[in-house]
Amino acid sequence: MGMTTPPRTLAEALRARDDESLAGLLRARPDLLSPVPNDITQLATRAGTRASVVRALEHLDRFALQTAEALAVAPDPAPYDTLLGLLTGDGRDDGELRGDAGAAIVDALPGALDTLREQALVWGEDERLHLVRTARELLAPSPQHPSPTGLGPTVSEATAGMSPGRLQEILAAAGLPATYDPVSAVTSLSALFTDRARMGELLDTAPVEALSVLDRLVWGPPYGEVTPNPTPPVKWLRDRGLLLPVSTRTVVLPREAALHLRAGRAHRVPEPLPPVVAAAAERDPQAVDSAAAGQAFLSVSTVEELLKSWNGGGPAILRAGGLSVRELKKTATVLDVPEPVAAFWIELAYAAGLLASDGETDERYAPTPAYDDWTELPAEDRWVRLATAWLAATRTPGLVGGQDAKGRALSTLGPGLDRSAAPEVRHRVLALLDALPPGTAPEPETLLARLRWERPLRGASTSAGDTTDLRSRIALWTLNESELLGITGRGALASQTRALLTAGPAEAAAGLAPLLPEPLDHVLLQADLTAVAPGPLERPLADMLAALADIESKGGATVYRFTPGSVRRALDAGQSAADLHAFLAAHSRTPVPQPLSYLIDDVARRHGHLRIGAASSYVRCDDEAVLNEILADKRSATLRLRRLAPTALAAQIDPVSLLDGLRELGYAPAAESADGDVLITRAGARRTPPRSAPAPVPEGPPLPEPALLGAAVRAIRAGDTAATVVHKDTGPAAPGDTLPRTTSAETLVTVQAAAMTGSAIWIGYVNAEGAASQRVIAPVRVEGGYVTAYDHTADEVRTYPLHRITGVAELADDQTA
C-alpha cells in the first residue's frame, strides 16, 4: 500500500503500511488492542496517548532511546543527516566521533529508526522524520523535565516573554546589528549560535573563567543559579545571551550554544552497540552439569523436607497475611539454611502450588493435595515443575524483610511481593547465559550493564518501597536463586536448563535423569545408635526411617539418630517392635547393633502401658505401682492429677497436653479412643482443600495470538472503508429491498468466507426486541455461534449471534468503494 506523496500525519503513515506491518505494531504495543480500534485514525490517536507512549519508550534499548532523544531536540521534521549529525557530531576534529565509534552509529542508526517506526514513535520518510508529539513532550528539555541529553531550551523558548529592549542589548553585546522586532532579534541570535565560524570568534573573546562556567553546563544540567550581582564571567555570558534568564536567580545555557560547544552531539557517549557480557570463569561443561544436577536434587529434597515439617499443619497466618518472623526463623533452623534462603524455598513451594492456606477459622499453611501427586513423580520431573514455576512467578522472595510503600514490613507469603518484571528479567538473564559458550560463568557487572542497555527506562522501580534499579536487583537475585535451584552449576548455565528453555520440560527431565543419583535401598547401622544413608533413599525406606529416627546431619550422606522419642514416634504410627526389628534387618548392610535392639525393645515394653483418654483426660494403667510413682513425682503437680480408682487417674488438662507432660517425665503413654483402643497417629494427614498455584501478576496486556492480530487488522481496515460504503437505513426494509432468506448452513459458510477474505457483506438481522434491520458488516472472527465484525452501519465493532441473522448477500460493485 505505497503512497506517492509523503504522509502528512501519523494516521496517513499507518494507513500506508501493509497488514504485516500493522500486525507488527499491535504485537509490539499490545495495549493498542484493548479494545480493537475502529479505524486507522483511532489507532493513531491511541498510539499517541501519554500512557501508551510511556510504555513504548520503556521497551526501547538504549540506542533506540538515544535516537528518539536526539529527534526530540532536533527541528520537526528532521532530515536523516541532521539526526546522524546529532549522534556523531558536526565534523569538527575536536568533537566528531570517528573510527569504530562513528562507524557503529552509522551502521546501527537505520535499525534504531526501523524500531521507532515499527512502534509508531517516529513516522515519515528519511527526508522528513517526525517524532510523535507526546514522545517529544516527554523527551524534550524543559525546566520541569530536564532532557536526558542534558540540553536546555532553544533561544526562542528561553527568550519568550523577554522585553524587546533587553533583546537589543544582547544583540549589541554580541556584536550583532540591531533589529526592528523581537522575532528577528531571536532569529539573529539563533543564527549566531549555529554559525560555527562566528560562534568560534565570539568564544575566542571570552574570559577563561567564562569558558569554565560553560564547561560545567555544557553536558547538563544546563541550569545554574546566579546572585543579584553576578561575577564578571557570568555577567559577560549573560550580556551576550550565552546564559539566558529562567527566573530571577536561575539562568540556562540555550540549546544552540550547547550544541556548538558539544561539536553538534546530543549525547556525550552514544551507545549504538550493546555491552558484551564478559566471562568470569570457564568451567568444564560436564562438571557444570553435575554440579547443577546435585543442586537440583538438593532443591527437590529441601522442598520435600519443608513440606514434611508442615505435614500436620504448618504455622499460623498473620492477620495481615504471610508468615511471622519467628516462624521464618524456625523454618530456617529446620532446613539448616539462612533465613533469606528459607524464604526462597517457601515462596517456591507456594508458586508451584504445593503449599497454600487451609482456609480454616484458625488459618494455617499446609501442603496441598498436589503435593502428594508431586512426591510420586520421579526426581527429575519434580525438579522441572519447580523450575517452571520459578521462571513464571512474579513473587520475588528477595524483597522479604524490606518495606512497602507505606513502611510496612514485607513478609514471606505475604502481600506486596509481586513484581511483574520478574519473569521477563529471569528469562533475559538465562538467555544471556545461554548465549555464552557452554561452561562459561558471566561477570555479574557486565551482565547488569547489558540489561541496563536493553531497558534503560525500566530500571527505575514504580514502587516507593524499592530502590532505583529494581531490574538489577532482580537480576542478581536470579543469579543466586539459579544456583540454589540447580538452574546453573558453578555459575554457568547447565545443559538441562538449556533444554528446558528451548525444547521443553520433557527434554529437560530426560537430560537431568542420568545425572541424578540412583536411590538406595539400604543404610549402614552403627553402634552409636546412628544410621548412615550413603545417598538418596528409596521413598518407602526414607519415609519409614524418617518416622523411626531423627536426621542429625545432611550432605553427601545423611546421618540418622535413633532416640527413645523417635522410636516411640514409630510405635505411635502403628508399628510394633517386631516390625521395627524386621525393617532394620532387611535394610541394613551392617548387622543390627545390640544397643539399638535393646532401645527398641525397652521403648516398646513401656509403650502403651499408660492409657490417656478424655475425662477432661485420664490415665489408665493396670500396674498400680506406676500410677503411685507418677503421683509421688513432684514434677507431675502441673498435670493436676487425682486418683479415680486403683488403676486410673483423672486430670484437668486436655489429653494432648497430658501426653506431652508424661513423656517429659520419661514415660511412654499411648492415646486411647472412646472404645479403649490405642489411637494410631499418622503423619501427613493434614491437607488443604484443592488449591491452584498463584497466578502471576501480568506486567501489561498479554501478547496477542496471531489469529487475533489478523482479525484486528482486518477490523481496522474495514473501519477505514466505512466512510466510502453506502449505508442502508437501519429501519425495517422496504418490501422490494429485502434480503433473501438463507439457511443456517448457508449463512455460516458465507460469513466464514467473508472473514477469510476480509470482504464486507449484507446481512438481515433481528435483534432481541424483534426489530429487523439490514447492515453492512466486515466479519473478522466466527466462533461459538457468534460473528465478530466491523459494522459499517454503526461504525464500530460488534458481535452478532448467528441464529439472529435472517439472510446474507454479497455487496454489489456499486455498493463498495
Side-chain angles (χ1 to χ4, degrees), residues 280-326:
E282 295 184 3
R283 321 280 191 191
D284 178 15
Q286 292 185 348
V288 167
D289 292 347
S290 298
Q295 194 62 35
F297 186 83
L298 181 60
S299 68
V300 171
S301 302
T302 303
V303 171
E304 187 172 354
E305 182 181 358
L306 164 69
L307 296 178
K308 275 185 177 180
S309 68
W310 292 2
N311 238 348
I317 301 177
L318 295 173
R319 182 165 53 184
L323 204 63
S324 68
V325 175
R326 182 183 64 182

Side-chain angles (χ1 to χ4, degrees), residues 173-186:
L176 298 172
T179 63
Y180 297 101
D181 59 87
V183 175
S184 58
V186 170

Side-chain angles (χ1 to χ4, degrees), residues 195-275:
D195 188 310
R196 185 188 308 176
R198 288 195 295 157
M199 188 65 171
E201 293 173 358
L202 176 63
L203 293 176
D204 287 342
T205 65
V208 175
E209 295 82 359
L211 296 178
S212 298
V213 172
L214 294 178
D215 287 341
R216 291 197 296 270
L217 301 177
V218 64
W219 289 108
Y223 298 92
E225 291 188 2
V226 294
T227 60
N229 296 313
T231 59
V234 173
K235 188 176 185 304
W236 189 94
L237 295 170
R238 193 176 64 176
D239 290 344
R240 288 155 182 79
L242 291 169
L243 292 179
L244 294 172
V246 176
S247 65
T248 55
R249 297 183 59 87
T250 307
V251 293
V252 65
L253 176 66
R255 186 185 309 171
E256 294 88 343
L259 285 173
H260 173 84
L261 295 170
R262 296 180 178 194
R265 298 210 314 273
H267 300 88
R268 176 179 287 184
V269 183
E271 299 181 58
L273 299 178

Side-chain angles (χ1 to χ4, degrees), residues 666-743:
Y667 298 95
E672 186 173 77
S673 69
D675 297 328
D677 299 324
V678 175
L679 290 175
I680 296 175
T681 59
R682 301 187 183 277
R686 184 161 186 174
R687 292 290 181 269
T688 70
R691 295 279 193 263
S692 58
V697 176
E699 187 175 13
L703 292 178
E705 297 292 333
L708 176 59
L709 279 178
V713 170
R714 290 196 298 273
I716 294 170
R717 293 289 190 202
D720 240 31
T721 62
T724 59
V725 174
V726 177
H727 288 201
K728 289 288 183 179
D729 184 7
T730 58
D737 194 29
T738 57
L739 283 168
R741 288 188 173 271
T742 55
T743 65

Side-chain angles (χ1 to χ4, degrees), residues 19 49 55 57 174 191 204 292 310 359 375 396 493 556 578 580 657 685 726 734:
D19 288 354
T49 58
R55 190 177 293 113
L57 291 175
D204 287 342
W310 292 2
T375 56
T396 50
L493 197 67
L580 300 182
S657 300
V726 177

Side-chain angles (χ1 to χ4, degrees), residues 419-659:
R419 295 296 181 271
S420 56
E424 189 265 335
V425 174
R426 290 194 194 107
H427 280 89
R428 190 62 197 136
V429 168
L430 297 185
L432 292 174
L433 295 183
D434 190 24
L436 296 173
T440 302
E443 178 62 43
E445 284 304 320
T446 62
L447 182 69
L448 296 181
R450 176 62 172 268
L451 292 174
R452 295 189 191 104
W453 185 91
E454 292 179 346
R455 294 289 186 271
L457 292 184
R458 296 303 299 277
S461 171
T462 57
S463 173
D466 293 330
T467 55
T468 56
D469 197 356
L470 177 63
R471 282 174 64 87
S472 294
R473 297 171 65 200
I474 294 176
L476 292 175
W477 293 331
T478 297
L479 293 176
N480 295 332
E481 293 168 1
S482 296
E483 199 71 14
L484 285 173
L485 191 51
I487 296 289
T488 59
R490 303 178 66 184
L493 197 67
S495 60
Q496 52 267 28
T497 306
R498 296 177 192 269
L500 179 64
L501 296 174
T502 57
E507 288 74 9
L512 178 63
L515 302 174
L516 296 177
E518 288 290 336
L520 303 177
D521 62 352
H522 65 274
V523 294
L524 306 175
L525 296 177
Q526 302 186 95
D528 60 350
L529 297 180
T530 61
V532 177
L537 300 177
E538 293 179 347
R539 176 155 302 281
L541 173 58
D543 291 343
M544 183 60 191
L545 198 58
L548 180 56
D550 298 323
I551 296 178
E552 189 169 82
S553 65
K554 295 177 291 186
T558 304
V559 178
Y560 294 84
R561 178 164 294 280
F562 299 94
T563 65
S566 67
V567 173
R568 184 178 63 244
R569 185 170 64 234
L571 295 174
D572 287 342
Q575 301 293 325
S576 66
D579 295 334
L580 300 182
H581 287 306
F583 167 78
L584 294 175
H587 294 286
S588 176
R589 288 290 177 88
T590 58
V592 179
Q594 198 172 50
L596 180 56
S597 298
Y598 288 165
L599 174 64
I600 294 173
D601 290 338
D602 183 57
V603 174
R605 183 171 54 255
R606 296 183 294 126
H607 184 265
H609 196 48
L610 297 177
R611 299 294 182 89
I612 304 300
S616 294
S617 58
Y618 63 84
V619 183
R620 183 171 66 82
C621 182
D622 295 335
D623 190 342
E624 297 181 28
V626 174
L627 297 183
N628 293 334
E629 181 182 341
I630 293 175
L631 288 174
D633 195 328
K634 294 181 179 180
R635 296 176 297 169
S636 68
T638 58
L639 304 180
R640 303 168 68 184
L641 297 169
R642 65 184 180 87
R643 188 183 291 275
L644 292 178
T647 59
L649 302 176
Q652 298 182 25
I653 58 176
D654 60 273
V656 175
S657 300
L658 184 55
L659 273 169

